[in-house]
mmCIF file with all atom_site columns, all heavy atoms in Angstrom:
data_model
loop_
_atom_site.group_PDB
_atom_site.id
_atom_site.type_symbol
_atom_site.label_atom_id
_atom_site.label_alt_id
_atom_site.label_comp_id
_atom_site.label_asym_id
_atom_site.label_entity_id
_atom_site.label_seq_id
_atom_site.pdbx_PDB_ins_code
_atom_site.Cartn_x
_atom_site.Cartn_y
_atom_site.Cartn_z
_atom_site.occupancy
_atom_site.B_iso_or_equiv
_atom_site.pdbx_formal_charge
_atom_site.auth_seq_id
_atom_site.auth_comp_id
_atom_site.auth_asym_id
_atom_site.auth_atom_id
_atom_site.pdbx_PDB_model_num
ATOM 1  N N   . ALA B 1 2   ? -10.176 -19.609 -21.877 1.00 46.00 ? 1382 ALA B N   1
ATOM 2  C CA  . ALA B 1 2   ? -11.536 -20.026 -22.137 1.00 46.00 ? 1382 ALA B CA  1
ATOM 3  C C   . ALA B 1 2   ? -11.966 -19.589 -23.549 1.00 46.00 ? 1382 ALA B C   1
ATOM 4  O O   . ALA B 1 2   ? -13.118 -19.246 -23.751 1.00 46.00 ? 1382 ALA B O   1
ATOM 5  C CB  . ALA B 1 2   ? -12.458 -19.406 -21.091 1.00 46.00 ? 1382 ALA B CB  1
ATOM 6  N N   . VAL B 1 17  ? -9.356  7.000   -22.685 1.00 95.00 ? 1397 VAL B N   1
ATOM 7  C CA  . VAL B 1 17  ? -8.976  7.296   -21.314 1.00 95.00 ? 1397 VAL B CA  1
ATOM 8  C C   . VAL B 1 17  ? -7.629  8.034   -21.312 1.00 95.00 ? 1397 VAL B C   1
ATOM 9  O O   . VAL B 1 17  ? -6.635  7.527   -21.819 1.00 95.00 ? 1397 VAL B O   1
ATOM 10 C CB  . VAL B 1 17  ? -8.915  6.011   -20.479 1.00 95.00 ? 1397 VAL B CB  1
ATOM 11 C CG1 . VAL B 1 17  ? -8.243  6.328   -19.140 1.00 95.00 ? 1397 VAL B CG1 1
ATOM 12 C CG2 . VAL B 1 17  ? -10.301 5.464   -20.282 1.00 95.00 ? 1397 VAL B CG2 1
ATOM 13 N N   . GLY B 1 82  ? -18.858 7.714   -12.893 1.00 89.00 ? 1462 GLY B N   1
ATOM 14 C CA  . GLY B 1 82  ? -20.045 8.573   -12.999 1.00 89.00 ? 1462 GLY B CA  1
ATOM 15 C C   . GLY B 1 82  ? -20.398 9.264   -11.716 1.00 89.00 ? 1462 GLY B C   1
ATOM 16 O O   . GLY B 1 82  ? -19.816 8.931   -10.678 1.00 89.00 ? 1462 GLY B O   1
ATOM 17 N N   . ILE B 1 165 ? -5.774  -14.310 -3.253  1.00 91.00 ? 1545 ILE B N   1
ATOM 18 C CA  . ILE B 1 165 ? -6.731  -14.620 -4.364  1.00 91.00 ? 1545 ILE B CA  1
ATOM 19 C C   . ILE B 1 165 ? -7.981  -15.091 -3.748  1.00 91.00 ? 1545 ILE B C   1
ATOM 20 O O   . ILE B 1 165 ? -9.100  -14.615 -4.096  1.00 91.00 ? 1545 ILE B O   1
ATOM 21 C CB  . ILE B 1 165 ? -6.135  -15.649 -5.307  1.00 91.00 ? 1545 ILE B CB  1
ATOM 22 C CG1 . ILE B 1 165 ? -4.923  -15.039 -6.048  1.00 91.00 ? 1545 ILE B CG1 1
ATOM 23 C CG2 . ILE B 1 165 ? -7.144  -16.128 -6.293  1.00 91.00 ? 1545 ILE B CG2 1
ATOM 24 C CD1 . ILE B 1 165 ? -4.171  -16.054 -6.945  1.00 91.00 ? 1545 ILE B CD1 1
ATOM 25 N N   . ASP B 1 179 ? -2.350  -7.452  -10.442 1.00 94.00 ? 1559 ASP B N   1
ATOM 26 C CA  . ASP B 1 179 ? -1.229  -6.539  -10.791 1.00 94.00 ? 1559 ASP B CA  1
ATOM 27 C C   . ASP B 1 179 ? 0.102   -7.308  -10.494 1.00 94.00 ? 1559 ASP B C   1
ATOM 28 O O   . ASP B 1 179 ? 0.575   -7.410  -9.392  1.00 94.00 ? 1559 ASP B O   1
ATOM 29 C CB  . ASP B 1 179 ? -1.302  -5.331  -9.817  1.00 94.00 ? 1559 ASP B CB  1
ATOM 30 C CG  . ASP B 1 179 ? -0.313  -4.282  -10.247 1.00 94.00 ? 1559 ASP B CG  1
ATOM 31 O OD1 . ASP B 1 179 ? 0.423   -4.506  -11.223 1.00 94.00 ? 1559 ASP B OD1 1
ATOM 32 O OD2 . ASP B 1 179 ? -0.237  -3.265  -9.556  1.00 94.00 ? 1559 ASP B OD2 1
ATOM 33 N N   . ARG B 1 216 ? 1.357   -17.566 -22.057 1.00 94.00 ? 1596 ARG B N   1
ATOM 34 C CA  . ARG B 1 216 ? 0.846   -18.817 -21.541 1.00 94.00 ? 1596 ARG B CA  1
ATOM 35 C C   . ARG B 1 216 ? -0.581  -18.705 -21.073 1.00 94.00 ? 1596 ARG B C   1
ATOM 36 O O   . ARG B 1 216 ? -1.339  -19.652 -21.260 1.00 94.00 ? 1596 ARG B O   1
ATOM 37 C CB  . ARG B 1 216 ? 1.715   -19.214 -20.338 1.00 94.00 ? 1596 ARG B CB  1
ATOM 38 C CG  . ARG B 1 216 ? 3.052   -19.855 -20.639 1.00 94.00 ? 1596 ARG B CG  1
ATOM 39 C CD  . ARG B 1 216 ? 3.625   -20.541 -19.401 1.00 94.00 ? 1596 ARG B CD  1
ATOM 40 N NE  . ARG B 1 216 ? 3.904   -19.639 -18.297 1.00 94.00 ? 1596 ARG B NE  1
ATOM 41 C CZ  . ARG B 1 216 ? 5.064   -18.991 -18.109 1.00 94.00 ? 1596 ARG B CZ  1
ATOM 42 N NH1 . ARG B 1 216 ? 6.090   -19.241 -18.921 1.00 94.00 ? 1596 ARG B NH1 1
ATOM 43 N NH2 . ARG B 1 216 ? 5.244   -18.212 -17.085 1.00 94.00 ? 1596 ARG B NH2 1
ATOM 44 N N   . GLY B 1 256 ? 12.997  -2.958  -23.338 1.00 64.00 ? 1636 GLY B N   1
ATOM 45 C CA  . GLY B 1 256 ? 12.041  -3.218  -22.261 1.00 64.00 ? 1636 GLY B CA  1
ATOM 46 C C   . GLY B 1 256 ? 12.643  -3.824  -21.058 1.00 64.00 ? 1636 GLY B C   1
ATOM 47 O O   . GLY B 1 256 ? 13.792  -3.867  -20.843 1.00 64.00 ? 1636 GLY B O   1
#
Side-chain angles (χ1 to χ4, degrees):
Chain B
V1397 170
I1545 292 174
D1559 189 1
R1596 281 194 298 268

